[in-house]
Amino acid sequence: MVVSYGRRVPNKWLKTEALLSHPVLSAHIPPTRSYTASHLRDMLNVHRMVVIKPVLGSGGSGVIKVEQEGSGYAYTYYSKKKHCATFDQLLASIVRLKKKRAYLIQKGIRLATIGGRPIDYRVKYEKTATGWVYRSMVGRIAKPGLFVTNLCRGGTMVTAAQGIRGSLSASQVAAKKREMRELTVIATQVLESRFPGVNLLGYDYGIDKSGKIWIFEVNTKPQ
C-alpha cells in the first residue's frame, strides 16, 4: 500500500507554536524555548531537567536529556550519561553534540514507567474521503538504559491499554485514552487550519507520574 503523506511540516518549532496558540492545548505542552545558552541555563534553574532536540529530526535522533545534579550537571545522549562540574563544561559538550543544527529546549517530564522504563504513546490520525479517522494508538516502552522510546531505537510496542494499565492503573485506561483522542481532535483542527493539506498526523503523548497528559510533538510523516 502506498501511503500519501500530504503536506509535510518538519519544523517542530512551527508546529509547537501553532499548538500553543490554543488555550486547551497549551496547558498540555511542556514549556518550550529555542535553544540558546541563556535559555538552557534559565530552564535548568527553573525545571532542573530539560530535553533538547533538533528542530528538524525524527526517530529520537540527536535528542539530549540535561539535568542539574547537586552543584553540577549531567547529560544523557542515547545510552551514555556524562557529568559536568560547571555549566561551561556542559555547554561545550552540548555544542559538540548539536553541531550547527537548530535545537529547541523542553521541560523534562518524569514519565510514568513500566519496570523502570519510560513509556509514551503514539496516536496516528488520518484524513480520509469521509473525514479524520484513528489508525492506531499504541504505547512505546523505552529500551532498557535509554530515555527515548522510539521503536527504531529498540523501544517495545504495547497497546495503549496495556501501557496505561501497567504504568498507572486499570481504572485510568478509558479516561486517558479518551483524553488523548479529544486532544488529538482539537490539535488537528488547529494544525489543519494553520497548515492546509496535512492529512496524516502522528501525535507523541506522554503521561507523567501524576497522570497528566503531555503533547511532546506532532509528526506529519509518522513512521
Side-chain angles (χ1 to χ4, degrees), residues 164 170-182 207 213:
I164 296 165
S171 64
Q172 297 191 57
V173 170
K176 297 306 177 189
K177 288 178 66 174
R178 181 171 62 248
E179 188 176 358
M180 282 191 277
R181 289 193 189 100
E182 290 168 352
I207 305 180
I213 293 177

Side-chain angles (χ1 to χ4, degrees), residues 6 18 21 29 49 73 78 87 102-103 184 193 202 204 210 214:
S21 71
I29 296 172
M49 180 176 77
Y73 302 88
Y78 299 111
F87 184 76
Y103 266 64
T184 296
S193 170
D204 288 347
S210 70
W214 297 92

Side-chain angles (χ1 to χ4, degrees), residues 120-196:
D120 68 7
Y121 300 86
R122 164 61 64 87
V123 176
K124 278 189 184 178
Y125 203 43
E126 184 177 12
K127 190 172 189 179
T128 69
T130 54
W132 287 87
V133 297
Y134 294 95
R135 290 302 184 203
S136 61
M137 178 185 285
V138 300
R140 305 178 303 182
I141 307 172
K143 179 182 177 180
L146 294 187
F147 68 91
V148 295
T149 61
N150 306 77
L151 301 181
C152 62
R153 302 285 168 199
T156 301
M157 186 169 68
V158 296
T159 68
Q162 288 171 327
I164 296 165
R165 191 182 305 120
S167 61
L168 297 171
S169 70
S171 64
Q172 297 191 57
V173 170
K176 297 306 177 189
K177 288 178 66 174
R178 181 171 62 248
E179 188 176 358
M180 282 191 277
R181 289 193 189 100
E182 290 168 352
L183 289 169
T184 296
V185 170
I186 297 169
T188 298
Q189 291 169 349
V190 170
L191 292 171
E192 193 174 21
S193 170
R194 186 72 62 93
F195 308 110

Side-chain angles (χ1 to χ4, degrees), residues 2-23:
V2 176
V3 177
S4 173
Y5 287 110
R7 181 176 179 181
R8 294 194 60 200
V9 186
N11 188 302
K12 292 183 177 73
W13 189 245
L14 292 179
K15 290 177 285 188
T16 299
E17 280 187 323
L19 298 180
L20 284 169
S21 71
H22 193 285

